[in-house]
């Protein structure tokens, strides 16, 4: 709950009733403008509606008076699963129940605006109410008498935020709200949680807690990177490498990895004496893939655009923001054009500052991961490290492997050191990995397969 004075409400309405492409610079940098179109109102009001209601009240307000109180309710999380306690199809019903609860508490006329925001970290509703009470403070006796003379047919009402939103009201508000919403939806919605069970927290406090978590996470990442750098410097010193040799090390490692991969594949093929069905032979001839049956990853020569993708797949695509106009290009353009959920994920990624964006399909089956590149290998490498974090969240929980989903991915244009493939291998991700090569390289792969 937050309280606002008269000179604050203009900014409040601009923030809450924002529209996609309105050109305004909002103070919250967590707003994803690509998602603003999905915000929706349960009651839409403006500063004009606020002033109209003020004109119906006894004029006891001063510049320091609170004229608006805002209640912010976030879609709660089930502590047992760490997922939203309300399924997507019940989200609107949840926020409608919350809205109806506060309408019953404060009156329909006093609820000026109610909007659900879907373009920030978690879905939440802003309910803007006027703290109206019956009667007026006795110190305004003369003002009240004059007002009653001028408005003989109207009830005496005035503003008093201390009477409406006070410690007594907040003491049991969450319990009453929880019961009201649970009864409406027919199941536990976990409104009573760590942020509410012992009383109310301000929006600022809750956002600060979220920021503290993010800062701690970034600090851990920083420490890990610093440790990696220290190990690399020690390695350089131990190996007595020159700066030039050290800079070539990633390339040397990549060449060694390719050679080792080819050696292992040859050993596996010779040792296991693979036999293929006619159907498998047709697939090999068509896709020219490396038949690595002992590995989680199968490498194809070609494009993921032509893959037959499972319903529960993880699909990885890449985009470059500088190519995202009406005639955008992407190595996976065909795949994007034919999948509405993937198009939504790409639009979301293009509208954010995040290097990697993960999103589930509407049926909650497929998972889409979009990696942003911009023609710079160092940016690509940084975003691939973020990609690895996303993979761990998808495939691992509390250090244990979840149910396996096959991942479909094509080599990334700016991935000079084939880091993506190394990440997939290291994390043992089941994958169909497509490599677009020149025909002569494809022929070499085919020869390797034939051997």
């Amino acid at each position: 709950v937050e309280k606002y004075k008269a000179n604050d409400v203009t900014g409040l309405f601009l923030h809450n009733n924002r529209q996609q492409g309105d050109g305004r610079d909002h103070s919250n940098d967590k707003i994803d403008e690509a998602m603003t179109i999905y915000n929706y109102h349960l009651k839409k009001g403006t500063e004009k509606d606020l002033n109209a209601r003020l004109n119906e009240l006894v004029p006891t307000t001063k510049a320091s008076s609170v004229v608006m109180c805002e209640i912010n309710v976030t879609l709660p999380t089930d502590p047992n699963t760490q997922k939203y306690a309300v399924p997507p199809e019940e989200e609107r019903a949840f926020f409608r129940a919350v809205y109806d609860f506060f309408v019953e508490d404060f009156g329909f006329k006093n609820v000026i605006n109610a909007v659900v925001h879907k373009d920030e970290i978690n879905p939440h509703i802003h309910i803007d109410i006027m703290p109206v009470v019956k009667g007026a403070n006795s110190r305004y006796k003369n003002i009240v008498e004059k007002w009653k003379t001028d408005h003989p047919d109207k009830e005496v009402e005035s503003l008093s935020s201390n009477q409406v939103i006070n410690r007594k009201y907040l003491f049991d508000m969450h319990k009453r709200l929880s019961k009201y919403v649970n009864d409406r939806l027919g199941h536990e919605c976990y409104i009573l949680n760590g942020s509410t069970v012992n009383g109310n927290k301000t929006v600022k406090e809750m956002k600060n807690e979220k920021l503290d978590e993010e800062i701690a996470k970034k600090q851990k990442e920083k420490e890990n990177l610093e440790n990696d750098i220290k190990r690399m410097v020690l390695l350089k010193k131990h190996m007595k490498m020159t700066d030039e040799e050290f800079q070539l090390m990633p390339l040397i490692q990549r060449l060694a990895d390719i050679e080792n991969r080819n050696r292992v594949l040859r050993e596996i093929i010779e040792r296991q004496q693979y036999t293929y069905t006619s159907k498998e032979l047709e697939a090999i001839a068509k896709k020219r893939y490396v038949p690595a049956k002992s590995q989680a990853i199968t490498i194809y020569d070609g494009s993921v655009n032509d893959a037959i993708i499972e319903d529960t797949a993880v699909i990885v695509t890449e985009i470059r923001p500088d190519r995202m106009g009406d005639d955008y290009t992407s190595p996976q353009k065909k795949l994007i054009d034919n999948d509405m959920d993937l198009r939504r994920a790409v639009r979301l990624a293009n509208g954010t500052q995040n290097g990697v964006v993960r999103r589930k399909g509407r049926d909650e089956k497929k998972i889409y991961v979009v990696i942003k590149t911009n023609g710079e290998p160092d940016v690509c490498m940084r975003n691939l490290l973020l990609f690895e974090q996303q993979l761990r969240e998808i495939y691992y929980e509390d250090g244990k492997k979840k149910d396996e989903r096959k991942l479909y991915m094509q080599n990334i244009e700016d991935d000079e050191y084939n880091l993506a493939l190394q990440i997939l291998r290291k994390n043992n991700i089941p994958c169909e990995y497509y490599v677009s090569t020149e025909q002569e390289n494809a022929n070499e792969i085919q020869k390797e397969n034939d051997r």
Side-chain angles (χ1 to χ4, degrees):
V1 178
E2 298 283 357
K3 296 182 178 182
Y4 293 89
K5 299 174 183 178
N7 58 356
D8 297 325
V9 296
T10 299
L12 181 68
F13 279 113
L14 289 175
H15 175 79
N16 287 350
N17 294 346
R18 59 180 176 264
Q19 294 181 341
Q20 192 176 51
D22 59 16
R24 294 192 176 96
D25 184 18
H26 298 286
S27 60
N28 185 354
D29 62 359
K30 297 298 182 184
I31 293 174
D32 182 349
E33 290 188 4
M35 296 294 291
T36 301
I37 193 172
Y38 298 108
N39 295 350
Y40 58 90
H41 281 81
L42 297 180
K43 182 178 182 181
K44 188 169 185 179
T46 64
E47 196 169 355
K48 183 179 178 180
D49 298 309
L50 168 69
N51 291 329
R53 180 67 176 128
L54 279 174
N55 290 333
E56 297 175 349
L57 309 178
V58 175
T60 58
T61 57
K62 301 176 181 178
S64 59
S65 299
V66 172
V67 298
M68 184 86 80
C69 296
E70 180 171 273
I71 296 172
N72 184 301
V73 180
T74 300
L75 196 66
T77 301
D78 184 337
N80 301 310
T81 64
Q82 298 305 311
K83 298 179 180 178
Y84 289 132
V86 178
E89 62 272 16
E90 290 186 3
E91 180 200 280
R92 190 177 285 262
F94 170 83
F95 285 124
R96 168 59 69 175
V98 171
Y99 167 77
D100 289 344
F101 172 85
F102 288 111
V103 165
E104 290 185 15
D105 266 15
F106 301 111
F108 178 78
K109 290 176 67 175
N110 299 321
V111 177
I112 304 300
N113 194 46
V115 57
V116 176
H117 283 169
K118 303 268 289 181
D119 56 357
E120 296 181 62
I121 296 175
N122 296 304
H124 56 276
I125 186 170
H126 294 266
I127 303 176
D128 300 315
I129 67 164
M130 294 179 63
V132 175
V133 296
K134 305 294 184 184
N137 193 300
S138 58
R139 63 180 173 174
Y140 299 113
K141 182 178 180 181
N142 293 337
I143 296 175
V144 171
E145 291 302 322
K146 183 179 185 309
W147 188 89
K148 287 171 68 175
T149 301
D150 296 338
H151 306 84
D153 57 334
K154 288 187 177 181
E155 185 178 14
V156 175
E157 296 176 298
S158 62
L159 290 175
S160 179
S161 64
N162 290 332
Q163 285 183 256
V164 175
I165 304 290
N166 51 31
R167 186 176 294 276
K168 181 181 178 181
Y169 176 79
L170 295 174
F171 180 76
D172 66 348
M173 182 267 285
H174 291 98
K175 293 179 182 178
R176 292 191 303 109
L177 175 63
S178 178
K179 184 179 185 307
Y180 186 96
V181 175
N182 290 348
D183 290 347
R184 178 75 71 87
L185 269 67
H187 62 81
E188 176 60 63
C189 294
Y190 295 100
I191 286 175
L192 292 178
N193 55 50
S195 296
T196 60
V197 71
N198 294 318
N200 185 69
K201 289 186 179 181
T202 67
V203 176
K204 186 178 292 185
E205 286 174 333
M206 295 180 73
K207 287 186 176 180
N208 284 344
E209 287 179 1
K210 194 73 177 177
L211 286 173
D212 287 341
E213 292 175 8
E214 291 186 18
I215 290 169
K217 184 178 178 181
K218 295 297 183 186
Q219 180 63 30
K220 186 65 178 177
E221 291 175 7
K222 176 176 174 286
E223 291 172 0
N224 290 339
L225 286 171
E226 287 174 344
N227 290 334
D228 287 343
I229 292 169
K230 289 177 182 177
R231 283 194 294 269
M232 291 174 70
V233 171
L234 287 173
L235 176 63
K236 176 187 174 185
K237 184 178 180 180
H238 178 73
M239 299 295 290
K240 297 180 180 179
M241 301 171 70
T242 65
D243 289 341
E244 291 76 13
E245 289 171 333
F246 190 66
Q247 290 171 1
L248 286 172
M249 194 171 175
L251 182 58
I252 294 169
Q253 288 176 332
R254 182 185 175 195
L255 292 171
D257 178 67
I258 292 171
E259 178 58 32
N260 184 59
R261 179 183 66 189
N262 291 339
R263 178 183 59 77
V264 170
L265 287 175
R266 281 196 295 270
E267 288 180 0
I268 291 171
I269 292 169
E270 290 169 0
R271 184 171 65 249
Q272 298 193 12
Q273 292 296 311
Y274 284 155
T275 57
Y276 301 105
T277 65
S278 58
K279 188 174 182 181
E280 288 174 325
L281 288 170
E282 289 174 6
I284 291 172
K286 182 178 179 181
K287 295 188 176 179
R288 299 188 299 278
Y289 70 87
V290 179
K293 288 191 175 181
S294 296
Q295 299 187 140
I297 300 171
T298 303
I299 302 173
Y300 292 88
D301 172 54
S303 170
V304 73
N305 288 317
D306 302 317
I308 299 174
I309 297 176
E310 300 170 358
D311 289 339
T312 57
V314 177
I315 302 173
V316 181
T317 57
E318 64 169 297
I319 62 168
R320 279 181 54 169
D322 59 336
R323 299 178 181 174
M324 292 302 292
D326 294 335
D327 56 344
Y328 75 95
T329 59
S330 165
Q332 294 85 45
K333 186 177 187 302
K334 179 181 175 183
L335 192 65
I336 295 168
D337 287 343
N338 292 330
D339 189 326
M340 183 181 296
D341 286 335
L342 179 53
R343 288 203 304 275
R344 290 174 63 195
V346 167
R347 284 200 300 269
L348 172 61
N350 188 50
T352 70
Q353 299 297 318
N354 299 332
V356 178
V357 170
R358 183 177 92 216
R359 185 180 180 87
K360 275 191 175 182
R362 288 168 298 172
D363 59 4
E364 297 288 311
K365 292 182 179 179
K366 285 191 176 76
I367 295 177
Y368 301 95
V369 181
V370 182
I371 303 173
K372 295 167 74 173
T373 63
N374 65 351
E376 298 179 17
D378 59 330
V379 173
C380 177
M381 185 173 292
R382 184 170 65 246
N383 288 345
L384 283 172
L385 293 175
L386 296 174
F387 166 63
E388 182 174 19
Q389 292 178 12
Q390 296 287 351
L391 286 185
R392 288 174 181 168
E393 292 177 11
I394 294 170
Y395 286 94
Y396 291 90
E397 190 170 46
D398 299 327
K400 296 180 180 178
K401 195 81 174 282
K402 300 180 185 177
D403 293 337
E404 290 193 345
R405 296 166 168 262
K406 183 174 283 189
L407 182 145
Y408 293 80
M409 182 177 183
Q410 188 168 330
N411 68 305
I412 293 177
E413 289 181 339
D414 298 328
D415 187 8
E416 287 191 349
Y417 304 117
N418 221 355
L419 179 60
L421 193 54
Q422 295 177 45
I423 288 170
L424 293 168
R425 283 201 179 110
K426 183 177 72 174
N427 292 280
N428 194 31
I429 305 299
C431 175
E432 287 195 6
Y433 191 83
Y434 291 77
V435 182
S436 296
T437 65
E438 298 296 331
Q439 188 59 44
E440 59 182 1
N441 292 336
N443 292 338
E444 288 300 318
I445 292 177
Q446 183 63 51
K447 289 176 184 178
E448 188 66 35
N449 289 343
D450 293 340
R451 285 198 294 271

